[in-house]
Amino acid sequence: MQEGKIMKALSGYYYVKSGSGTYRCRGRGLFRKQNITPLVGDDVVFETVGNEEGYIKEIKERKNELVRPPVANIDQVLLVFSATHPVFKPVLLDRFLTVVESKGILPVILFTKIDLLTEEEKEKINGYMKDYREIGYTVIAASPKKNIGIGEILPLLEGKTSVVAGQSGVGKSTLLNCLRPDLRLETNEISRHLGRGKHTTRHVELLEVGGGLLADTPGFSSLDLQDIEEEELSACFPEMRRLMDSCKFRGCLHVKEPRCAVKEALENGEIKDYRYEHYLEFLEEIKERKMRLGR
């Protein structure tokens, strides 16, 4: 028996790195019966069959996992958002942040294509970057094609397992090619007609970059909040999380309750209106989900 980490999942095979070797493994039938799916990032125990083949016998306990993309044991998520082409949508960033926060994973925000901004667009994006930095997030402005911001990103990767996530067309593959030029990952320009990118990443794979492991993931445009309960949502907003114990009522949802510290901070301008509006939108979505499921 050997131990290793799943680096790639493709066509029913799991590619497990152990020491200096990589083994193409199948999962045990027992996993299917137990409704367990091995994920990229899993630490596993496997048995070799021949020189480079094997069977996964055990999946070690995960510290966290994402469903979309399917990755486990993540230290941080690099949320890549285009400053333009496609147009930046704060509500989508807040949705990503909410899901990542709910998993207890550290988010890092990357704005790409900053070299393409007009002066008016630059002022607007700089305002958003300032807001998110004040909340406490690490925010990096980057342009892989111009090699801007790469020197800030690389030190963040060392010794960590990171995931690159974001919409299609925001420049994730271009960023990875810049961080590790020998990858030569396929990239596609934005479709001008549709205003969005084509999917270029077809599977999840951990790559060795900057002294750590970095997963490129298929692009996607939305994330659901199915694992988050109403009373847990505000904890996914750091500026609200800091104030929760100051509310009069335990379990305050920060909507109509009296002496709510979050509402007071909102009125004082300490919490941005658009962040609070997104919180209310997500809260309503969670409530509607519970009603549909009859819970």
Side-chain angles (χ1 to χ4, degrees), residues 154-181:
L154 279 169
L156 299 177
L157 305 179
E158 189 170 354
K160 293 187 173 72
T161 297
S162 308
V163 169
V164 179
Q167 283 178 287
S168 295
V170 297
K172 297 192 304 299
S173 294
T174 302
L175 174 65
L176 279 163
N177 284 337
C178 193
L179 291 169
R180 213 186 104 176

Side-chain angles (χ1 to χ4, degrees), residues 4 6 14 27-28 30-32 34-46 56-62 65 72-73:
I6 298 177
Y14 302 97
R28 290 178 61 192
L30 180 63
F31 294 143
R32 284 192 295 276
Q34 294 176 339
N35 202 25
I36 297 173
T37 301
L39 297 177
V40 169
D42 271 333
D43 295 309
V44 300
V45 176
F46 68 101
I56 295 172
K57 295 289 190 178
E58 180 189 342
I59 298 170
K60 297 201 167 183
E61 186 178 355
R62 296 166 180 157
E65 65 180 271
N73 300 317

Side-chain angles (χ1 to χ4, degrees), residues 77-82 87-101 107-111 125 128-133 135 137-140 165-167 220-223 225 236-238 274-275 278 282:
V77 177
L78 309 184
L79 296 174
V80 183
F81 275 75
S82 177
V87 175
F88 171 62
K89 296 178 181 177
V91 67
L92 187 56
L93 173 55
D94 284 344
R95 182 176 284 270
F96 272 75
L97 285 168
T98 299
V99 172
V100 172
E101 289 273 7
V108 176
I109 302 169
L110 304 181
F111 282 96
I125 290 297
Y128 281 123
M129 289 198 293
K130 181 175 179 287
D131 290 347
Y132 285 102
R133 284 184 180 127
I135 291 168
Y137 290 117
T138 298
V139 182
I140 297 173
Q167 283 178 287
F220 44 86
S221 58
S222 66
L223 285 165
L225 308 171
C236 301
F237 286 70
Y274 67 90
R275 285 275 290 173
H278 298 161
F282 300 160

Side-chain angles (χ1 to χ4, degrees), residues 13-286:
Y13 287 98
Y14 302 97
Y15 294 80
V16 179
K17 182 168 184 181
S18 179
S20 59
T22 299
Y23 301 83
R24 190 174 75 158
C25 297
R26 290 277 195 186
R28 290 178 61 192
L30 180 63
F31 294 143
R32 284 192 295 276
K33 291 176 184 174
Q34 294 176 339
N35 202 25
I36 297 173
T37 301
L39 297 177
V40 169
D42 271 333
D43 295 309
V44 300
V45 176
F46 68 101
E47 183 178 31
T48 56
V49 181
N51 290 331
E52 297 178 349
E53 303 278 328
Y55 284 91
I56 295 172
K57 295 289 190 178
E58 180 189 342
I59 298 170
K60 297 201 167 183
E61 186 178 355
R62 296 166 180 157
K63 67 178 180 182
N64 55 47
E65 65 180 271
L66 292 175
V67 177
R68 292 179 58 195
V71 194
N73 300 317
I74 309 142
D75 295 309
Q76 62 186 2
V77 177
L78 309 184
L79 296 174
V80 183
F81 275 75
S82 177
T84 184
H85 305 305
V87 175
F88 171 62
K89 296 178 181 177
V91 67
L92 187 56
L93 173 55
D94 284 344
R95 182 176 284 270
F96 272 75
L97 285 168
T98 299
V99 172
V100 172
E101 289 273 7
S102 74
K103 301 290 185 182
I105 304 170
L106 179 70
V108 176
I109 302 169
L110 304 181
F111 282 96
T112 61
K113 306 184 185 180
I114 58 164
D115 56 307
L116 302 179
L117 296 173
T118 64
E119 285 304 313
E120 185 180 346
E121 289 172 331
K122 193 178 293 182
E123 186 177 345
K124 196 171 183 180
I125 290 297
N126 283 340
Y128 281 123
M129 289 198 293
K130 181 175 179 287
D131 290 347
Y132 285 102
R133 284 184 180 127
E134 285 178 353
I135 291 168
Y137 290 117
T138 298
V139 182
I140 297 173
S143 174
K145 288 186 177 179
K146 300 286 185 180
N147 205 30
I148 298 170
I150 302 305
E152 292 180 66
I153 299 168
L154 279 169
L156 299 177
L157 305 179
E158 189 170 354
K160 293 187 173 72
T161 297
S162 308
V163 169
V164 179
Q167 283 178 287
S168 295
V170 297
K172 297 192 304 299
S173 294
T174 302
L175 174 65
L176 279 163
N177 284 337
C178 193
L179 291 169
R180 213 186 104 176
D182 64 299
L183 291 174
R184 298 188 189 88
L185 297 173
E186 180 191 352
T187 62
N188 274 324
E189 294 299 317
I190 290 290
S191 164
R192 293 288 177 189
H193 177 64
L194 296 174
R196 61 176 182 262
K198 299 175 182 178
H199 295 283
T200 53
T201 307
R202 296 286 183 260
H203 63 276
V204 181
E205 179 176 2
L206 284 177
L207 307 164
E208 295 181 25
V209 182
L213 297 174
L214 184 60
D216 187 16
T217 65
F220 44 86
S221 58
S222 66
L223 285 165
D224 59 47
L225 308 171
Q226 64 179 5
D227 294 331
I228 304 173
E229 298 298 333
E230 292 170 58
E231 59 276 9
E232 297 169 343
L233 181 61
S234 61
C236 301
F237 286 70
E239 66 272 48
M240 295 186 191
R241 184 167 64 226
R242 290 189 280 267
L243 297 169
M244 284 164 50
D245 291 341
S246 301
C247 290
K248 180 182 179 182
F249 294 105
R250 194 173 178 180
C252 181
L253 294 180
H254 323 300
V255 182
K256 296 178 180 177
E257 299 89 340
R259 291 173 61 184
C260 169
V262 168
K263 293 282 283 184
E264 288 174 13
L266 179 68
E267 290 168 11
N268 296 334
E270 296 166 31
I271 292 175
K272 296 298 177 185
D273 288 346
Y274 67 90
R275 285 275 290 173
Y276 182 70
E277 286 167 12
H278 298 161
Y279 166 78
L280 292 180
E281 183 181 323
F282 300 160
L283 186 64
E284 192 59 32
E285 183 180 324
I286 292 168

